[in-house]
Amino acid sequence: MKSYSSGILKLEPTRVWRAYKGGRLLEEWHSTPNPQDGNFPEEWVASAITARNPGREGIPEEGLSRVSIPGGGPLLKDLLEQDPISFLGREHFEKYGSSMAVLVKLIDSLSRLIIQVHPDKEFAKSVFSSDYGKTEAWYIIGGRQIDGQDPYVLIGFKPGMTKKTWRTLFEKQDIKGMLNSLNKLSVKPGDVYLIEGGVPHAIGAGCFLIEIQEPTDYTLRVERRTQQGIVFPDEHCHQGSGFERMFDCFHYDCYTKAEVIKRWRLSPKLLSQDRSAEHWALIDGEATELFAMQKVTVRQGFTQRLDDRYCIAVIAEGKGSIGSGDDKLDVGRGDLLFIPACLDTIHFEASGEPLEAVLCFPPK
C-alpha cells in the first residue's frame, strides 16, 4: 500500500445518520447543490470510531473516515493501525496505542437534540469497560433561527435538582419538566463551551458547530421519543448499563445560568498576531487535558510546529494552501485534513481572501 504518512491527507466527508434532523447549513458550507435538511446532520472528521445508531448496526463502517483520492482511498483507521507511530506520534502511541484519543464532528441541528448525558472516565471504565468517557466541547461557527428562535444550548441542572426528582421526570416522560430543569443559553459564532462527562445537556435547534470529544459514542438518553417520533428501545436509552446505573451517570451538581457561563464557557486566548496571521487557543490545557483546539486566521502566511503531535484541520472559511516540506495541497472552505505527527511543521498560505482553519489536537 502507498505510504500515506509522508504527507497531509485530505479526507472524504463522512456523514452520519442521527435521530434528529439537520444538515442544510453543513451542505451550504460545502457548497453542495440544493442543500437539504435530513437525518444526516453530522459529519465526522478524521474518525476511527464507528457510530452507534439504533437499527443501523448492519452498517459497520458508518462514521469511519476515508482518505480522499480518485477511486476511493483507504480507511484512516486502517492506516493508523498499520503505522501508528508515524501518524500519531511516538509519545502518543506509547500512551494510547493506535487510538486517536479524540473525535471531531461538525453538527448542524434543525431540531433540538434529545436531553442526554455522556459518561465521565470513571463511569465509562466501570460500566462500559472503556478507557474513554465522553467529555466534549463545542465551538459555534454559525447558526440560524428556527421558528423565530435564536440558536441555543442546554447545559447543567438548575438549582434544586435531585436524583429522585430527575428519575421521576423520566418515568413520567415529563419533557417540559426536564427541559425546564436545565439552563438554556443563547449562542453565537465564536462561543466555546466545555461539556464534562456527567453533565446533562442538549444542543438546541439552529446550532452549527465543531465538536471535539473523547473518542466514544456513548449517549445515555432520558427522552424515549425524538421530536420526529423515533422511539428509542430501552437499550438505546441506557446503552446496556440498565436504568439503575443510567441515573448514576448524571452529576447532580446544580448551577445558575451565570455559574454555567463562568464554569464552562471558555474565553479564546490570543497566542500571536501580526499582519500575516492571528493565532488563537480556543481550548487549552487550563480548560481540559483531554484535547485542544486552536484557530488560525491567515491573511498571508502562518507556520505551525507539530512537535510529534498529529493535527486534524477543518478549513472553516476562505481558500489557499497548506504544506509541509515539498508537499502542498490547495484547500478551501469545507476541506477536512489529517496531518500526521511525523511532519515537523505545516505552513498555511492564503489566496486572496483570509483563510480560517480550526486545528484540533489530541491530549499532550
Side-chain angles (χ1 to χ4, degrees), residues 20-31:
Y20 67 96
K21 296 281 189 178
R24 179 172 65 81
L25 292 188
L26 188 55
E27 294 185 359
E28 288 179 359
W29 184 70
H30 278 299
S31 300

Side-chain angles (χ1 to χ4, degrees), residues 272-278 296-302 349-355:
S272 66
Q273 182 181 35
D274 57 29
R275 67 176 61 184
S276 294
E278 291 179 2
V296 57
T297 302
V298 182
R299 287 180 287 273
Q300 298 175 14
F302 175 79
E349 291 184 4
S351 177
E353 56 187 307
L355 177 72

Side-chain angles (χ1 to χ4, degrees), residues 43-314:
E43 185 164 291
W44 292 16
V45 185
S47 169
I49 302 298
T50 303
R52 295 165 61 90
N53 281 317
R56 294 175 67 85
E57 292 82 1
I59 307 176
E61 292 185 359
E62 186 161 34
L64 298 178
S65 296
R66 285 190 177 275
V67 177
S68 177
I69 59 173
L75 290 172
L76 179 63
K77 181 177 185 290
D78 292 342
L79 297 179
L80 302 184
E81 291 174 350
Q82 291 166 15
D83 190 3
I85 293 176
S86 294
F87 281 105
L88 302 177
R90 183 172 296 278
E91 288 188 14
H92 184 101
F93 173 72
E94 289 173 354
K95 185 168 184 179
Y96 302 105
S98 61
S99 169
M100 295 177 70
V102 295
L103 175 60
V104 176
K105 302 176 181 176
L106 289 150
I107 296 174
D108 169 35
S109 57
L110 171 68
S111 54
R112 174 183 62 80
L113 279 66
I114 59 172
I115 300 169
Q116 58 194 256
V117 71
H118 306 305
D120 59 21
K121 282 188 177 293
E122 291 74 21
F123 189 93
K125 188 69 173 178
S126 63
V127 175
F128 299 123
S129 299
S130 172
D131 291 331
Y132 301 99
K134 194 173 181 284
T135 288
E136 62 192 34
W138 305 328
Y139 171 49
I140 310 297
I141 59 173
R144 48 179 160 160
Q145 282 195 340
I146 304 295
D147 297 329
Q149 181 169 233
D150 291 334
Y152 69 93
V153 295
L154 302 168
I155 305 174
F157 287 127
K158 293 178 181 177
M161 180 53 64
T162 66
K163 180 179 178 181
K164 181 179 179 181
T165 300
W166 190 236
R167 176 139 195 179
T168 298
L169 290 170
F170 166 76
E171 290 171 348
K172 292 180 177 180
Q173 280 298 284
D174 182 354
I175 307 304
K176 183 178 180 180
M178 286 193 278
L179 290 171
N180 288 336
S181 299
L182 302 179
N183 291 285
K184 183 176 181 179
L185 301 100
S186 296
V187 294
K188 63 184 184 305
D191 286 348
V192 184
Y193 280 93
L194 178 68
I195 312 299
E196 296 174 332
V199 175
H201 63 276
I203 295 171
C207 294
F208 185 31
L209 57 87
I210 299 175
E211 177 178 287
I212 185 170
Q213 58 162 87
E214 291 182 88
T216 71
D217 198 24
Y218 293 119
T219 299
L220 287 76
R221 305 168 171 95
V222 290
E223 293 182 64
R224 289 183 172 274
R225 181 189 297 268
T226 71
Q227 293 169 290
Q228 290 74 42
I230 296 174
V231 177
F232 289 108
D234 290 355
E235 177 80 14
H236 293 286
C237 289
H238 57 61
Q239 296 288 299
S241 68
F243 286 119
E244 289 297 326
R245 296 300 302 274
M246 182 178 86
F247 288 95
D248 292 335
C249 186
F250 289 88
H251 293 181
Y252 294 94
D253 306 302
C254 298
Y255 303 91
T256 65
K257 184 181 293 187
E259 289 170 335
V260 168
I261 291 171
K262 182 178 180 180
R263 182 180 177 97
W264 288 309
R265 188 165 75 186
L266 307 182
S267 298
K269 300 173 183 176
L270 184 62
L271 300 176
S272 66
Q273 182 181 35
D274 57 29
R275 67 176 61 184
S276 294
E278 291 179 2
H279 186 200
W280 295 83
L282 302 178
I283 305 165
D284 64 10
E286 291 185 13
T288 179
E289 296 181 351
L290 297 174
F291 40 71
M293 182 184 288
Q294 300 175 7
K295 181 182 76 170
V296 57
T297 302
V298 182
R299 287 180 287 273
Q300 298 175 14
F302 175 79
T303 299
Q304 169 84 39
R305 290 187 58 83
L306 293 183
D307 297 323
D308 194 41
R309 195 180 186 197
Y310 78 82
C311 175
I312 298 167
V314 176

